[in-house]
Amino acid sequence: MKIIVLVKHVPDAQFDRHLSGGDNTTDRSESILSELDEYALEAALQLIEARGGEAAGNKVIALSMGPAGAVNAVKKSLQIGATEGVHLSDDALAGSDAAATSLALAAAIRHLGTDVPADLVLTGMASTDGETSLVPAQLAERLGLPQVTFASSLELDGGKLTARRDGDSHADTVEATLPALVSVTDQINEPRYPNFKGIMAAKKKTITTLSLADIGVDASSVGLAGSWTAVETAEVRPPRTAGTIITDEGDAGIQLVEFLAAQKLL
Amino acid sequence: MAKVLVFIDTPGAALKKSSLELLTIARSLGEPVVAFNGELQDDVAAGLGAYGAAELYVPAAADLNDYLIGPKAAFLAAAAETSGATVVLAENSAEGKEIAARLGIKLGAGVITDVVAVDPDGTAHKSVLAGSYTTTAKATTPVAVLTVKSNSVEPEQAAAATAPQPVTVELPADATAGAARVTARNEKAASGRPELSEARIVVAGGRGMDGNFGPVEDLADALGAAVGASRAATDAGWIGHDAQIGQTGKTVSPQLYISAGISGAIQQKAGMQTAKVIVAVNKDAESPVFEIADFGIVGDLFQVLPQATEEIKKRRAGH
Ligand SMILES: Cc1cc2nc3c(=O)[nH]c(=O)nc-3n(C[C@H](O)[C@H](O)[C@H](O)COP(=O)(O)OP(=O)(O)OC[C@H]3O[C@@H](n4cnc5c(N)ncnc54)[C@H](O)[C@@H]3O)c2cc1C
């Protein structure tokens, strides 16, 4: 089977993150493979391993869209175990919102499916920068694929997929037929780390770079020009500062209530 | 006047506060019209009228809840087109955002999520990068789709009530064809506490609870609060995963957030640092949660929480 996993290069959440430039797009220095995408990659690897792995003709393609540095997300995915990597990179893509991003990714996925169509497109539940969760749903819409998002478990039986999805008031079991688009939560598995063997093997794997021309997308339909939303202003929120800190000397519970009363929160 | 379409999905017997908020916002932007899915009970119909819904669209198919996302987006798109609405408002839940996402593609409309306020000209306010920036954004398309967070406005009834009659909207023939089907649904037991994402007060516990959420639940009940948790606590199985707050759980911005036995990792902060007031109880003075707490107590939560609960009860009894 052929699985395409979307991997995003995002600013490391451990550091301060910034918007930059006149168009308020995200500053991508100090970026890493989005940790939420590691769960999608792990799910893909488990699925092909259960089917005889690469030796049986299965493959996992890691696809990332983004500027030059985004190739690092692809490289890391190859070290973890993806079969091959694809980097969609074009200056015109800068500043794409979810609609423009999903347009370009949908075209890239169609392009990668021209010989053998993908059985599954797997993504993380959200990017750790934009955090909107819009792209997986928009990709399903654009590709006309069944959408199984926020899966916390995933099983395949022939051409049928069964997943669990947790909502606020209920947990659902959902079914769809392949090909499908699936986004997975961080509950689905325990992602593996790249080991020495994986890091060495990754050096021999291919990374294909695609431009907009390669996938037949016009520059005006992506990037800031092709986006359907525009950020107009962005202000840094003053960081929270520490308030009063006390050490419990036997009456901290009462002091807590006094604080709440003073704040009119009781 | 421009029409503003509000999506109200399966409310059951009464409209949720978040739906009333959407209707209130819709009136500030134009004429509110409603796309309604589910059984329209009398109280709900009266509520829609009280909040000024001028038109009411219902789907021709009754089984949208048997599928995931796609068919609901198809219904909403049909309702938007029939009504000619220029703004569509939906709830900011995971499902609400995904329906909005697909609707955006169907209508060629920009989608803005996590909105906390909308100006009369359609400018949306939200915060990004885990609360480090506040931004304004606008859809550049003829129709805008916005998902609005709970507690963004005070619900207000319309000056004059309406009595809209349901208008049936046909769905495209292929609306359910390629959709994932829900084959089993397990309803979760209702806690009787406020819903986490709507609550005014949240009391959350972490690994420091050591398997016993009793002190957090008792304090929450004394305060009329919702109960939340860190991922360490939900992963340990001490409380359901739907209580998780943070990057991969819920984002809350209550008036008051009480954090107990939680260290304050970046992924936890991402879900709560826009709370108005933060109180932290942790026995380790070095915990990062103290960097953002308005009131921090270095102490054992098993002493501090029960004492606070008792004191609240005592004060209530005295009044
Ligand atoms: C991809 C990813 C996503 C994640 N998403 C989330 C998320 O959405 N939400 C989330 O919360 N985490 C998330 N995490 C996990 C996060 O990194 C932390 O591991 C987690 O928040 C730690 O939970 P904790 O603070 O309860 O536990 P710990 O870090 O173990 O802290 C426990 C705290 O309790 C204190 N304590 C212990 N006993 C007592 C006592 N008797 N009285 C008072 N204090 C006591 C200790 O001093 C300590 O500070 C995510 C991690 C990853 C990798």
Side-chain angles (χ1 to χ4, degrees):
Chain A
M1 71 185 311
K2 176 164 163 181
I3 305 178
I4 297 177
V5 181
L6 301 185
V7 292
K8 192 172 182 188
H9 190 233
V10 298
D12 190 338
Q14 302 291 345
F15 301 111
D16 280 345
R17 292 175 292 173
H18 299 284
L19 301 177
S20 65
D23 45 24
N24 290 316
T25 51
T26 314
D27 178 354
R28 297 195 178 274
S29 47
E30 297 192 281
S31 287
I32 54 165
L33 167 61
S34 174
E35 54 189 358
L36 296 179
D37 295 339
E38 294 180 16
Y39 297 87
L41 192 54
E42 178 65 35
L45 294 174
Q46 289 183 12
L47 286 171
I48 68 157
E49 282 162 5
R51 283 159 186 76
E54 290 176 21
N58 299 298
K59 63 176 166 183
V60 173
I61 303 175
L63 164 63
S64 188
M65 163 181 147
V71 77
N72 290 330
V74 179
K75 284 186 183 153
K76 172 105 187 267
S77 306
L78 295 178
Q79 293 174 348
I80 294 173
T83 324
E84 57 186 76
V86 178
H87 179 202
L88 172 60
S89 192
D90 201 299
D91 290 346
L93 287 165
S96 294
D97 71 349
T101 300
S102 64
L103 182 128
L105 286 172
I109 290 165
R110 278 192 212 101
H111 175 83
L112 295 174
T114 37
D115 52 347
V116 184
D119 301 288
L120 267 180
V121 177
L122 273 169
T123 79
M125 62 187 279
S127 67
T128 56
D129 51 353
E131 291 184 320
T132 64
S133 298
L134 293 176
V135 168
Q138 296 200 324
L139 267 178
E141 176 72 31
R142 289 194 188 272
L143 294 168
L145 292 177
Q147 169 185 353
V148 180
T149 33
F150 294 98
S152 56
S153 75
L154 179 60
E155 277 162 42
L156 282 187
D157 180 7
K160 198 181 82 183
L161 173 166
T162 309
R164 205 183 119 101
R165 172 177 162 112
D166 281 302
D168 280 343
S169 58
H170 48 81
D172 293 337
T173 304
V174 300
E175 272 180 22
T177 48
L178 298 187
L181 176 134
V182 180
S183 81
V184 304
T185 74
D186 59 340
Q187 303 290 306
I188 192 167
N189 55 39
E190 207 48 72
R192 67 192 72 177
Y193 293 108
N195 57 22
F196 180 72
K197 205 171 138 228
I199 292 168
M200 295 315 287
K203 295 191 171 154
K204 299 202 192 82
K205 296 178 182 172
T206 47
I207 297 180
T208 310
T209 307
L210 296 177
S211 67
L212 287 177
D214 294 326
I215 59 170
V217 167
D218 194 84
S220 65
S221 57
V222 294
L224 288 169
S227 289
W228 294 344
T229 56
V231 176
E232 298 195 324
T233 63
E235 275 171 46
V236 180
R237 207 186 175 102
R240 281 196 98 99
T241 47
T244 315
I245 312 278
I246 62 164
T247 301
D248 185 20
E249 279 161 1
D251 65 345
I254 293 163
Q255 291 200 48
L256 166 53
V257 177
E258 273 159 14
F259 171 79
L260 297 183
Q263 298 280 324
K264 301 199 169 23
L265 286 164
L266 276 190
Chain B
M1 195 164 31
K3 285 184 187 169
V4 181
L5 183 67
V6 176
F7 181 44
I8 295 181
D9 192 10
T10 329
L15 287 170
K16 286 199 286 190
K17 179 164 173 274
S18 54
S19 302
L20 304 180
E21 292 181 30
L22 292 183
L23 289 163
T24 305
I25 294 171
R27 286 209 316 277
S28 73
L29 302 175
E31 184 178 45
V33 299
V34 167
F36 186 90
N37 176 43
E39 192 195 336
L40 183 60
Q41 302 197 23
D42 289 350
D43 281 359
V44 170
L48 294 176
Y51 280 81
E55 288 157 20
L56 184 55
Y57 298 95
V58 296
D63 61 349
L64 301 188
N65 284 329
D66 295 349
Y67 300 90
L68 216 55
I69 313 293
K72 287 185 185 175
F75 160 54
L76 202 48
E81 274 159 6
T82 310
S83 66
T86 51
V87 180
V88 182
L89 301 178
E91 209 181 294
N92 198 58
S93 60
E95 188 168 346
K97 287 196 259 190
E98 294 195 302
I99 292 167
R102 298 189 67 141
L103 175 68
I105 300 300
K106 286 179 190 294
L107 299 178
V111 182
I112 304 174
T113 61
D114 303 294
V115 173
V116 295
V118 193
D119 297 340
D121 73 347
T123 302
H125 298 248
K126 65 181 280 189
S127 76
V128 299
L129 294 178
S132 18
Y133 285 79
T134 54
T135 60
T136 59
K138 227 174 166 172
T140 53
T141 45
V143 180
V145 180
L146 311 177
T147 66
V148 185
K149 288 178 109 167
S150 306
N151 294 320
S152 294
V153 291
E154 268 312 309
E156 250 174 65
Q157 294 197 356
T162 53
Q165 291 309 303
V167 175
T168 305
V169 176
E170 295 297 331
L171 267 61
D174 61 353
T176 54
R181 181 182 265 284
V182 178
T183 54
R185 170 156 290 176
N186 286 312
E187 299 292 338
K188 295 180 182 166
S191 67
R193 297 193 178 98
E195 210 201 303
L196 200 47
S197 43
E198 295 192 357
R200 230 185 108 250
I201 303 179
V202 173
V203 185
R207 202 193 306 271
M209 304 315 297
D210 203 14
N212 172 17
F213 258 68
V216 157
E217 288 170 355
D218 292 346
L219 179 58
D221 290 341
L223 289 165
V227 171
S230 73
R231 179 165 165 198
T234 57
D235 277 358
W238 302 336
I239 183 162
H241 175 59
D242 43 330
Q244 183 183 316
I245 289 168
Q247 185 190 48
T248 55
K250 296 215 170 78
T251 314
V252 298
S253 0
Q255 296 289 315
L256 169 64
Y257 188 86
I258 301 182
S259 156
I262 298 178
S263 58
I266 188 92
Q267 295 94 345
Q268 153 73 207
K269 280 186 192 165
M272 47 67 84
Q273 65 183 351
T274 56
K276 212 106 181 230
V277 175
I278 297 174
V279 171
V281 183
N282 194 304
K283 63 183 183 191
D284 175 7
E286 303 296 315
S287 279
V289 70
F290 287 126
E291 293 161 13
I292 58 164
D294 299 289
F295 189 71
I297 296 171
V298 180
D300 185 346
L301 69 93
F302 292 104
Q303 307 291 325
V304 178
L305 264 50
Q307 188 180 52
T309 306
E310 277 321 302
E311 179 67 13
I312 292 166
K313 286 186 184 158
K314 221 187 285 169
R315 289 189 184 210
R316 293 263 157 88
H319 281 281

